[in-house]
Amino acid sequence: MIYPELIYYPGHHADRLAARVWRTAQPIGDVVCLHGIISHGGWYESSCSHLASRGFRVHFLERRGSGLNSLQRGEIDHWTTWVEDVVQYIKQIDGRGPTILLGISWGAILATSIARRHADMLAGLALICPGLFSFKAANRFQRLALRMADCCGLRSKRVAVPLREPSLFTNSAQRQRYIAEDPFALRTITINFAINNLALLKQATDAPEEIELPVLLMLASSDPITDNASTRAFVERMHHPDRTIIEYANASHTLEFEDDPSQYFKDLADWCRRQSSSTT
């Protein structure tokens, strides 16, 4: 097991943001990871350690207002700030190898939006049970309610995160307890966050043909959150011909929390190594 180093880096507006970094001697490339709506980098230490053992330097960024970033939890000024936080971090990486951007659940929305506009910075895009198309997405009436709240000046009002039931993320009773008791999980967001989340989602999903990167899509067949069929169709419309899709039978939304995630870890590391080799 390789353990991470906790660092703080200047995000957009020079805000101080947290990240976990797994270092390895003579890395063959960098993997930059983005977490889900309620989660944080601490959920994914096993897969990151495995990637590091396969030669990658791994960076898991904590989204501003989430996880270890306690300032203005569940808030954002504008969706472009989420994008710029990650772009600025990637620009300061001092490695000579290729950089792969990996998004898990909500993090895949952000990763896809970045990949659409900054493909020149990246060697590949990995999407893990992405939230691009979700059974739990805001419906027409909820979107109308957000617009009405905006018109009434209620952007700062806080609401519960819709994805708050631990059973949505894993079938493991032990992992469900961990999620329920996790002091760093994000439980509430502002209406302003929700409005900007919809704007980011539109940026990520309205033009898959503009994404010109090799892509890895990893799905769970029993995922109660991700709409697998719509997600597959979206990825198949991406411009780059190198599209790898893997679906794990009987798995739930958080592949990391399966009883035996070793095949997932292996498949992820193998794909990252192929992208690193082909780019080099």
Side-chain angles (χ1 to χ4, degrees), residues 132-207:
L132 295 161
F133 300 90
S134 172
F135 297 121
K136 304 299 180 180
N139 59 37
R140 181 177 60 179
F141 298 105
Q142 290 167 329
R143 290 173 184 241
L144 176 61
L146 287 175
R147 289 197 294 270
M148 292 177 63
D150 186 17
C151 292
C152 294
L154 298 176
R155 278 189 174 239
S156 62
K157 179 179 173 59
R158 302 192 74 85
V159 295
V161 175
L163 302 179
R164 56 187 180 275
E165 293 298 327
S167 59
L168 291 172
F169 296 90
T170 176
N171 294 323
S172 165
Q174 179 184 2
R175 293 295 194 173
Q176 288 177 14
R177 286 194 298 272
Y178 165 74
I179 294 171
E181 298 169 1
D182 183 0
F184 297 108
L186 185 67
R187 311 293 182 184
T188 65
I189 58 174
T190 64
I191 287 177
N192 182 59
F193 181 111
I195 290 171
N196 277 283
N197 178 58
L198 291 177
L200 178 70
L201 180 61
K202 183 178 187 302
Q203 293 294 319
T205 58
D206 67 359

Side-chain angles (χ1 to χ4, degrees), residues 27-238:
I28 61 174
D30 292 272
V31 181
V32 176
C33 308
L34 310 176
H35 60 78
I37 187 70
I38 78 164
S39 63
H40 52 83
W43 286 27
Y44 308 103
E45 293 194 349
S46 294
S47 58
C48 292
S49 175
H50 183 79
L51 285 171
S53 73
R54 295 292 302 276
F56 289 95
R57 182 170 49 175
V58 185
H59 317 251
F60 214 118
L61 311 189
E62 302 279 272
R63 184 182 62 237
R64 63 171 59 228
S66 301
L68 299 174
N69 296 319
S70 59
L71 186 64
Q72 294 185 309
R73 288 185 66 78
E75 174 61 310
I76 191 69
D77 58 346
H78 194 267
W79 66 267
T80 54
T81 297
W82 285 322
V83 172
E84 287 304 315
D85 284 341
V86 180
V87 169
Q88 289 186 192
Y89 185 91
I90 293 174
K91 285 180 177 178
Q92 60 82 45
I93 292 176
D94 60 358
R96 297 181 180 179
T99 297
I100 293 168
L101 185 59
L102 182 153
I104 301 171
S105 192
W106 182 94
I109 302 174
L110 180 54
T112 302
S113 182
I114 294 167
R116 177 181 170 188
R117 291 158 180 77
H118 300 281
D120 58 312
M121 302 171 59
L122 304 170
L125 173 67
L127 305 174
I128 316 301
C129 296
L132 295 161
F133 300 90
S134 172
F135 297 121
K136 304 299 180 180
N139 59 37
R140 181 177 60 179
F141 298 105
Q142 290 167 329
R143 290 173 184 241
L144 176 61
L146 287 175
R147 289 197 294 270
M148 292 177 63
D150 186 17
C151 292
C152 294
L154 298 176
R155 278 189 174 239
S156 62
K157 179 179 173 59
R158 302 192 74 85
V159 295
V161 175
L163 302 179
R164 56 187 180 275
E165 293 298 327
S167 59
L168 291 172
F169 296 90
T170 176
N171 294 323
S172 165
Q174 179 184 2
R175 293 295 194 173
Q176 288 177 14
R177 286 194 298 272
Y178 165 74
I179 294 171
E181 298 169 1
D182 183 0
F184 297 108
L186 185 67
R187 311 293 182 184
T188 65
I189 58 174
T190 64
I191 287 177
N192 182 59
F193 181 111
I195 290 171
N196 277 283
N197 178 58
L198 291 177
L200 178 70
L201 180 61
K202 183 178 187 302
Q203 293 294 319
T205 58
D206 67 359
E209 299 83 1
E210 295 181 5
I211 299 174
E212 300 187 3
L213 284 170
V215 63
L216 169 67
L217 173 62
M218 308 184 96
L219 300 170
S221 68
S222 299
D223 194 330
I225 297 175
T226 299
D227 180 343
N228 288 348
S230 297
T231 305
R232 278 178 175 268
F234 173 79
V235 167
E236 287 167 356
R237 289 171 56 198
M238 291 182 179

